[in-house]
Amino acid sequence: MREQLSIIPKPVSVKYNEGFFKSESLPDIIKKECAQEQFGADTDKVFEAYRLIIEKDRITAEAPADAGMHHCMETFRQLTLSGFKDGVLTLPCAEITDYPRFSWRGFMLDCSRYFYSVLFIKNLLDVLSLHHINRFHWHLTDDQGWRFKVAEYPLLTEIGSLRKNYRIPDLPPSGGFYTEDEIRDVVNYASVRHIEVIPEVDLPGHASAILASYPEFGCTGGPYEVEERFGIFEDVLCAGNDRIFDLAEKVFDTLAGLFPSKWVHIGGDEVLYNRWEACPKCRSRLKELGLKRPAELQSWITFKLVQMLSEKHKTAIGWDEILGTSNETPNHGFGDDSCPDGARQLKLPKEAVVMSWRGDEGGIKAARLGHEVIMSPCTGGCYLDYKQQDSREEPGALYAKASTVLKSYSMDPVPALMNEKDAKYVIGGQGNLWSELIYAGKIAEYMIFPRMCAIAESLWTPKDKKDFDDFSKRLIIHRERLDNLGINQYRGSLC
């Protein structure tokens, strides 16, 4: 008989009582609204709080708001996925009190490098909801594909959504795009599960799909193609061409019409400045703005994009390069890497949210400057396309060391070097699945789980209640739940 409730993420409190609840079918749940004051959570998180009371003859769900009730029912769903034994649902009597540590608990799926189906995304949202994940960051554009229609720029999908099949070059071009109805379907499906969908368009770099569709937006005029290769490419949007902002305006209008979320992710990562350095129009722009180096043009572009979204009542999120921390190296075409990315004269607007991916440093600096921060460090177990073990038999990429389940569990959105004042700007964190090497949904599931279970606990559970040995024991039963949902999962060493 199982006497413990192996819930992931671990609740704030579980108080066990004598006896067991037993039922041969799914029982009715008594739902009650309760006062917020019953929970010790911060005001911005209390609406997600809940209490689940399991007694011998009844099960009661209590919450002060719909979101909390949803999380309560997802916790109960976990118990039903593993609680039936010989046809009888058997649960120890207990009182569970729960609420999240962070308000942003996210997962990012890259649908540019590999075009995942709506069915796969919806199934994934179901499982993410089971773990109280409440943000779905949908990476919709990159060098390898543009995934939604913009009425004023039809070639973005007619040309930009397709590329050569890099795995089997003789096959027809691969890719596609999501229709407006499909996007609304995903957004609505997520909303029912209290998951907010945040779209990302990558600007001004990672723009090969844009340039292949509209070569006039590049510095050289092309020819360009939707990339079948993976990496960082020199061709970016031309900072000397005002029409790139006309494009951004229509893209943002389209996103505003499809996504109710207050956030739009504008990318901003891995922008190379070689083209801007050589381009006469970009050099004229530098002179016009009184700037000295091509790198400074990125901060100018970012400033304008943030303001454009603000006028549409949207808040911009960007990768940590938008801060203006240095990302220049000799490989980027400059011999001196001491110059900031362009923040000398144009500061990042305070409302912009910084997503720290290159490590903790970007998040620490952003918080110090008063920006809200989402932590997703590739060095901290958040990049789920990394190999889970250093083995040639394992799928994924290997950067320095494998990214184990333990590493994902050890991720803390508040780094040890961050002071208490700055920690208040950290709104949460997320796991990311980049799909350069992940060319099938079942491979994606294998890369995501159980590391995303570990990240979910890092984002939900109070820090002082986390324990990896305890998590590992709970994961044994939790794996049965994933199996019952038909989810592929990694089963090797956790460390």
Side-chain angles (χ1 to χ4, degrees):
M1 183 69 68
R2 293 170 178 162
E3 297 186 359
Q4 300 294 308
L5 300 171
S6 297
I7 299 165
I8 293 178
K10 186 177 183 178
V12 171
S13 170
V14 180
K15 178 184 176 183
Y16 289 96
N17 299 313
E18 291 294 325
F20 292 86
F21 172 89
K22 295 185 178 183
S23 175
E24 294 182 356
S25 61
L26 287 175
D28 293 330
I29 307 297
I30 302 169
K31 297 182 182 180
K32 294 182 179 180
E33 184 177 350
C34 61
Q36 296 183 359
E37 291 74 24
Q38 295 184 30
F39 301 92
D42 296 339
T43 54
D44 67 333
K45 305 181 190 76
V46 73
F47 74 98
E48 294 190 275
Y50 70 88
R51 184 172 288 111
L52 181 64
I53 303 168
I54 303 170
E55 299 174 282
K56 292 180 181 179
D57 59 346
R58 76 188 74 182
I59 296 178
T60 305
E62 298 179 347
D66 289 345
M69 187 61 73
H70 174 77
H71 294 314
C72 188
M73 297 310 295
E74 288 289 29
T75 293
F76 179 69
R77 183 159 75 107
Q78 285 195 26
L79 301 180
T80 63
L81 283 168
S82 59
F84 278 93
K85 195 72 173 177
D86 299 324
V88 178
L89 176 64
T90 304
L91 303 174
C93 293
E95 182 175 312
I96 302 166
T97 301
D98 209 5
Y99 48 83
R101 180 184 175 196
F102 294 100
S103 60
W104 184 291
R105 306 178 305 279
F107 171 79
M108 188 220 75
L109 183 66
D110 170 15
C111 290
S112 173
R113 277 57 175 267
Y114 182 76
F115 183 54
Y116 294 98
S117 71
V118 169
L119 178 60
F120 172 79
I121 293 171
K122 290 166 75 172
N123 287 341
L124 181 58
L125 289 169
D126 255 343
V127 188
L128 293 172
S129 177
L130 190 71
H131 298 84
H132 307 326
I133 296 301
N134 66 347
R135 303 285 188 266
F136 176 54
H137 172 180
W138 201 356
H139 187 81
L140 289 166
T141 77
D142 216 295
D143 292 296
Q144 292 77 21
W146 184 279
R147 300 301 182 209
F148 64 96
K149 277 189 173 184
V150 179
E152 295 83 0
Y153 294 92
L155 298 184
L156 288 174
T157 45
E158 291 177 22
I159 294 174
S161 70
L162 300 171
R163 70 166 186 265
K164 294 177 184 176
N165 191 312
Y166 75 95
R167 295 183 63 241
I168 311 175
D170 292 337
L171 288 181
S174 63
F177 61 91
Y178 302 103
T179 66
E180 289 187 1
D181 286 345
E182 287 175 327
I183 290 172
R184 290 193 176 98
D185 186 26
V186 169
V187 169
N188 291 337
Y189 194 88
S191 177
V192 169
R193 289 152 183 78
H194 290 268
I195 297 175
E196 190 167 347
V197 183
I198 295 91
E200 180 184 355
V201 291
D202 216 333
L203 303 168
H206 286 292
S208 299
I210 300 174
L211 299 179
S213 306
Y214 294 95
E216 63 270 27
F217 292 141
C219 291
T220 69
Y224 309 106
E225 63 180 4
V226 182
E227 281 291 349
E228 59 180 304
R229 303 170 296 164
F230 302 117
I232 308 172
F233 304 102
E234 290 185 335
D235 288 301
V236 299
L237 297 183
C238 177
N241 185 346
D242 286 332
R243 291 182 58 199
I244 67 171
F245 298 109
D246 297 333
L247 169 69
E249 188 80 35
K250 296 305 180 184
V251 168
F252 293 161
D253 283 342
T254 300
L255 294 178
L258 292 171
F259 295 90
S261 172
K262 77 170 191 176
W263 293 286
V264 171
H265 202 300
I266 59 173
D269 60 313
E270 298 179 324
V271 179
L272 304 186
Y273 307 127
N274 309 50
R275 296 300 191 205
W276 291 350
E277 187 175 40
C279 174
K281 289 186 289 187
C282 291
R283 297 185 76 85
S284 292
R285 180 75 77 193
L286 280 171
K287 185 176 181 181
E288 167 197 331
L289 296 172
L291 304 177
K292 294 182 178 180
R293 300 191 62 187
E296 294 173 314
L297 291 170
Q298 182 173 0
S299 285
W300 174 73
I301 290 173
T302 299
F303 183 89
K304 289 179 71 71
L305 296 178
V306 172
Q307 292 299 314
M308 289 167 65
L309 284 170
S310 181
E311 291 169 4
K312 300 179 191 301
H313 308 289
K314 299 287 187 181
T315 299
I317 305 173
W319 301 109
D320 54 51
E321 286 94 332
I322 69 170
L323 263 178
T325 55
S326 179
N327 73 336
E328 298 173 292
T329 70
N331 290 333
H332 288 191
F334 299 97
D336 176 12
D337 66 353
S338 63
C339 178
D341 290 341
R344 268 199 214 112
Q345 298 186 34
L346 293 172
K347 300 294 184 184
L348 182 67
K350 276 291 180 66
E351 68 264 29
V353 180
V354 174
M355 189 169 279
S356 188
W357 76 274
R358 293 180 291 178
D360 294 335
E361 295 80 8
I364 292 171
K365 178 175 180 179
R368 191 178 302 134
L369 294 172
H371 294 279
E372 287 190 334
V373 171
I374 300 162
M375 297 300 292
S376 187
C378 65
T379 56
C382 292
Y383 270 42
L384 304 180
D385 52 305
Y386 287 13
K387 284 178 179 282
Q388 307 192 63
Q389 289 292 320
D390 185 358
S391 166
R392 64 181 299 172
E393 312 304 333
E394 286 295 324
L398 184 66
Y399 295 97
K401 294 182 179 179
S403 189
T404 63
V405 176
L406 173 59
K407 194 167 189 176
S408 296
Y409 191 83
S410 301
M411 190 275 287
D412 191 337
V414 178
L417 295 177
M418 183 178 284
N419 63 45
E420 187 176 347
K421 175 186 174 185
D422 294 342
K424 294 178 181 178
Y425 289 100
V426 178
I427 61 175
Q430 68 179 42
N432 299 330
L433 183 74
W434 300 101
S435 62
E436 289 96 331
L437 303 176
I438 314 301
Y439 57 86
K442 284 300 174 184
I443 300 176
E445 291 176 358
Y446 180 92
M447 303 303 290
I448 297 167
F449 299 104
R451 286 186 292 189
M452 197 62 212
C453 307
I455 291 171
E457 187 150 313
S458 293
L459 298 175
W460 179 278
T461 303
K463 185 177 181 179
D464 63 355
K465 294 186 179 295
K466 287 183 61 185
D467 180 276
F468 185 69
D469 289 339
D470 178 60
F471 171 82
S472 301
K473 293 174 184 176
R474 282 179 284 122
L475 186 60
I476 295 171
I477 293 175
H478 196 70
R479 286 188 184 279
E480 294 180 23
R481 299 165 184 155
L482 298 178
D483 285 341
N484 288 336
L485 291 171
I487 298 297
N488 193 22
Q489 55 181 301
Y490 165 80
R491 297 180 186 275
S493 172
L494 303 181
C495 304

